[in-house]
Amino acid sequence: MSAEFGGRTGLRGKLTQWLRGGGREDAAGDGGREALLLAAAAAGLPLAPAAHPAPGYRCSCDRVGCPTPARHPVSFAWQTQSTTDRAQIERWARHQPQANFITATGMVHDVLDVPLQAGREALAGLLAAGIDVGPVAESDDGRMLFFTLTRGTPEDEDEWWPCELDCHPETMDEHPGLRWHCRGSYVLVPPARLPGDDQTVHWVRGPEHALPDPLTLLEHLTDACARYAGAESDHASAAWPLRH
């Protein structure tokens, strides 16, 4: 599935130069979009085409009332279709110029997906503590995505479990607001467009950063999510006081 696209040092230099040149704004252009997609693939993130926004806050797919507009793969075979092959990604990007792309988790990487406010707090704390943080993306719909190594590999199949096991309601008290995308899941990979004016998914830290072990980030993320959940609860209580 994977392909070799040159050394990580060269990738890091090219991508860092691109990002310093105003990556988020330029990503709307074909050159910037394709460069970022290829950089993600070069870092080992398997990609597949996804839907894109359509006029009227709709999705490009044919589903009436799509529940996740512009946020889902276009093919039911996305898990087997996902690839890091440069030539294939170039073909997709050029033949589907409006398409978003997803990256399938649980193969090479997982994604820890947290509320944006909690994620920003956790990222600041992680960097201040000198902890290695890998690629991080922000979604303008209010989420932050931390890309990490996966917890399983094809060689130890018995160690894998589906993503939905991390999303059951009974886990929310322990990990409020945290979604752990692993086997059987996916996330949008930057650059991606969301419904609404100038709504995007964009890199905060690009894929030139090495993927860390997820457990090195987990304590900071769960603590930040707990504080976020507490603040949200306090705000809701103040907005809706008890009546006697």
Side-chain angles (χ1 to χ4, degrees):
M1 177 184 300
S2 297
E4 185 65 35
F5 303 115
R8 179 168 292 275
T9 301
L11 166 66
R12 180 176 300 169
K14 291 179 181 178
L15 186 58
T16 300
Q17 182 179 11
W18 191 92
L19 291 170
R20 286 175 178 169
R24 181 178 176 182
E25 293 182 359
D26 293 341
D30 288 343
R33 169 177 174 263
E34 188 173 310
L36 281 183
L37 292 173
L38 291 174
L45 309 186
L47 307 184
H52 59 83
Y57 205 83
R58 294 184 299 109
C59 184
S60 62
C61 72
D62 296 330
R63 184 175 179 181
V64 176
C66 175
T68 54
R71 297 173 176 85
H72 62 83
V74 295
S75 171
F76 289 117
W78 58 269
Q79 292 189 71
T80 55
Q81 186 185 53
S82 298
T83 183
T84 59
D85 182 74
R86 181 186 184 98
Q88 180 61 68
I89 291 167
E90 287 176 340
R91 284 193 293 271
W92 280 334
R94 293 171 188 179
H95 295 162
Q96 303 178 54
Q98 294 186 340
N100 288 333
F101 280 77
I102 60 95
T103 177
T105 54
M107 298 179 183
V108 174
H109 69 294
D110 290 347
V111 171
L112 301 175
D113 172 353
V114 300
L116 182 57
Q117 180 179 330
R120 286 175 172 172
E121 176 188 326
L123 178 59
L126 287 162
L127 295 175
I131 296 173
D132 289 335
V133 181
V136 180
E138 282 189 3
S139 175
D140 287 336
D141 61 359
R143 306 293 297 183
M144 181 171 271
L145 310 175
F146 290 78
F147 288 70
T148 71
L149 292 170
T150 188
R151 292 178 294 177
T153 69
E155 287 73 30
D156 56 6
E157 181 76 14
D158 291 341
E159 296 299 321
W160 284 26
W161 59 84
C163 178
E164 57 263 24
L165 293 181
D166 296 304
C167 303
H168 287 169
E170 58 265 26
T171 69
M172 294 305 291
D173 288 340
E174 184 179 357
H175 305 301
L178 173 67
R179 305 169 191 164
W180 193 325
H181 297 273
C182 53
R183 188 185 184 192
S185 189
Y186 58 84
V187 298
L188 286 175
V189 66
R193 295 179 299 119
L194 303 175
D197 294 335
D198 299 322
Q199 298 288 294
T200 67
V201 181
H202 48 275
W203 289 118
V204 176
R205 290 169 54 86
E208 76 275 13
H209 296 282
L211 294 168
D213 186 315
L215 297 182
T216 64
L217 311 185
L218 195 57
E219 182 177 359
H220 283 263
L221 290 174
T222 52
D223 286 349
C225 285
R227 287 190 290 272
Y228 172 81
E232 288 290 292
S233 176
D234 292 344
H235 178 75
S237 297
W240 297 93
L242 295 175
R243 295 178 181 270
H244 296 285

